[in-house]
Amino acid sequence: MKKFDKERLLLAVAGPVIALVSAILLTSIVLIASGKNPFEPYRLMLEQIPYSDVQVLIVNQASLYYVAALAVALGFRMNLFNIGVDGQYRLAAMMTAVVGAHVALPSFLQIPLLLLVGALTGAFWAGIAGVLKVTRGVSEVVATIMLNAIATSLIGYLTLRENFGVLVGDNVTTGIMKDSGWVPGIDLGPDVGEIYGLVFLAIALGIGYWVVLNRTRFGFDLRATGESETAAAASGVNAKRMVLTAMLISGAVAGLSGLPLLLGSAHTYSLSFPAGLGFTAIGIALLGRNNPGGIALAALLWAFLEKTSPALDYATPVAYEKEIATIMQGLIVFAVVISYEAVRQWGLRRQQKRVGAELAEAANNNAKKEVAA
């Protein structure tokens, strides 16, 4: 491997490693300050990994995080901050649940229809912010934040009983979806659980993300526009069209992020459907450095912290608050931002030194040639 490639690999790995180590150290300090063992919580959570049911929970949760983080990463690669993934994901899940409860087709038609509804709903909601940005110059951050709030209100309105809401106990749902829209998973037994069938969709999206960005002209144009709209325009790329396209694709992927849970387990949208997925995905995309492999590891880490933390409540003789995992997740995001900037500055200094050394060597060689002449 060339020296330059080794340096690039080192820079890519250094940020996440520094962030994780920093988060662990800071969490340990919090534990020490509260008078508790700083190492015991990590041991208790790691002890949960061999249990098959916990493994299933981690994989299932990671699939949701992974798809949502890919949606965020698509925006990041275009230098867009799609903070509206949460609204796009929830609205798409709700609309998919409504269609799934009122339309009955054979499975080979029903499932693609529901996937299409989810993707189109997410793309439409993200496209509003994209249109505002390219036509009126409205920041996608401001637009998507406002659209998140509007999505929440719209979901509340559509799930009223006089619209599509169905009261089940104390919970308002959209009604149980038709069986033909249920996606079968991998059943590992009654004591273990079932891996969502759409976990494979998450894997396919990750592969597609890498191929499109790194092996197609569209991906090159998207990355080039993200680096510099002016330079991309000089190369014949329509920057505004790329911005709108990136927002539409990001929204479409976001619209699919809730479907592994919806089609694999919940089979209805209700007030208890997870919220905040899109905001969690931002931290996961940052930790994974917008790389599909890195995002996968970050999603698994996040899911691991979330699904193993309940064990802390039952620890003996001293119980630990499961919120420790939440603190650690927050510290990881905090440390990621700082560590990546530190690594970037270090990389720039290394590059400047290398260029300076090359220029000095070239000047020295020229001087030798002149003396020889």
Side-chain angles (χ1 to χ4, degrees):
M1 186 181 291
K2 296 180 180 179
K3 182 178 180 181
F4 180 68
D5 292 333
K6 288 182 178 179
E7 287 188 0
R8 289 184 63 184
L9 178 62
L10 178 61
L11 290 174
V13 174
V17 171
I18 293 172
L20 287 175
V21 172
S22 300
I24 291 172
L25 290 175
L26 291 172
T27 305
S28 299
I29 292 173
V30 172
L31 288 168
I32 292 172
S34 61
K36 295 185 177 180
N37 189 317
F39 305 108
E40 186 70 7
Y42 308 128
R43 183 187 67 80
L44 291 171
M45 288 192 290
L46 289 172
E47 284 180 349
Q48 304 303 307
I49 293 179
Y51 294 104
S52 299
D53 58 335
V54 176
Q55 294 171 4
V56 169
L57 291 174
I58 291 173
V59 171
N60 286 341
Q61 188 64 40
S63 67
L64 275 68
Y65 286 153
Y66 185 65
V67 179
L70 286 179
V72 175
L74 278 164
F76 282 162
R77 296 302 295 266
M78 186 62 193
N79 201 25
L80 296 170
F81 195 15
N82 182 8
I83 204 171
V85 167
D86 197 67
Q88 295 151 22
Y89 132 81
R90 289 186 292 112
L91 186 61
M94 190 276 297
M95 291 301 299
T96 303
V98 169
V99 172
H102 292 83
V103 176
L105 297 174
S107 293
F108 70 93
L109 293 175
Q110 182 85 343
I111 293 173
L113 171 65
L114 297 179
L115 293 175
L116 186 62
V117 170
L120 290 179
T121 303
F124 169 75
W125 208 244
I128 297 173
V131 170
L132 289 173
K133 183 173 181 65
V134 300
T135 60
R136 292 291 182 266
V138 178
S139 168
E140 74 279 3
V141 175
V142 175
T144 50
I145 288 175
M146 297 305 296
L147 285 168
N148 279 340
I150 296 172
T152 300
S153 300
L154 183 59
I155 290 170
Y157 171 74
L158 292 175
T159 52
L160 291 175
R161 294 180 66 183
E162 54 266 31
N163 294 320
F164 299 107
V166 178
L167 187 62
V168 178
D170 294 331
N171 200 2
V172 178
T173 76
T174 53
I176 300 299
M177 300 169 62
K178 307 298 183 183
D179 293 358
S180 59
W182 298 14
V183 176
I186 303 173
D187 191 356
L188 301 179
D191 297 328
V192 177
E194 185 177 278
I195 296 177
Y196 297 150
L198 290 185
V199 164
F200 299 103
L201 173 64
I203 296 172
L205 288 172
I207 295 172
Y209 170 89
W210 184 87
V211 171
V212 169
L213 283 182
N214 296 284
R215 292 293 184 268
T216 67
R217 173 59 188 269
F218 171 78
F220 174 79
D221 290 346
L222 188 146
R223 289 184 286 112
T225 307
E227 292 291 334
S228 172
E229 289 189 14
T230 304
S235 302
V237 178
N238 188 324
K240 289 186 176 181
R241 184 173 62 188
M242 290 303 299
V243 168
L244 180 58
T245 302
M247 285 299 294
L248 289 171
I249 296 175
S250 177
V253 176
L256 295 172
S257 58
L259 300 196
L261 171 61
L262 180 66
L263 305 187
S265 176
H267 307 307
T268 187
Y269 185 92
S270 67
L271 297 177
S272 60
F273 207 80
L277 181 74
F279 299 111
T280 302
I282 295 172
I284 293 173
L286 286 171
L287 183 60
R289 300 207 68 171
N290 302 323
N291 179 281
I295 293 172
L297 294 176
L300 287 169
L301 172 64
W302 234 262
F304 160 76
L305 291 172
E306 182 175 318
K307 297 304 179 182
T308 60
S309 59
L312 300 178
D313 282 339
Y314 306 104
T316 56
V318 178
Y320 293 84
E321 294 76 9
K322 65 180 180 180
E323 284 74 20
I324 290 172
T326 305
I327 292 173
M328 190 171 180
Q329 290 172 342
L331 289 174
I332 287 174
V333 176
F334 182 71
V336 159
V337 177
I338 296 175
S339 63
Y340 281 1
E341 180 61 23
V343 169
R344 189 183 72 84
Q345 293 293 336
W346 178 69
L348 286 174
R349 287 195 295 270
R350 294 269 299 180
Q351 187 177 21
Q352 290 169 354
K353 288 181 180 180
R354 184 169 60 250
V355 171
E358 291 174 354
L359 290 174
E361 183 178 357
N364 188 36
N365 291 335
N366 289 333
K368 288 181 179 179
K369 289 179 181 179
E370 291 177 1
V371 171

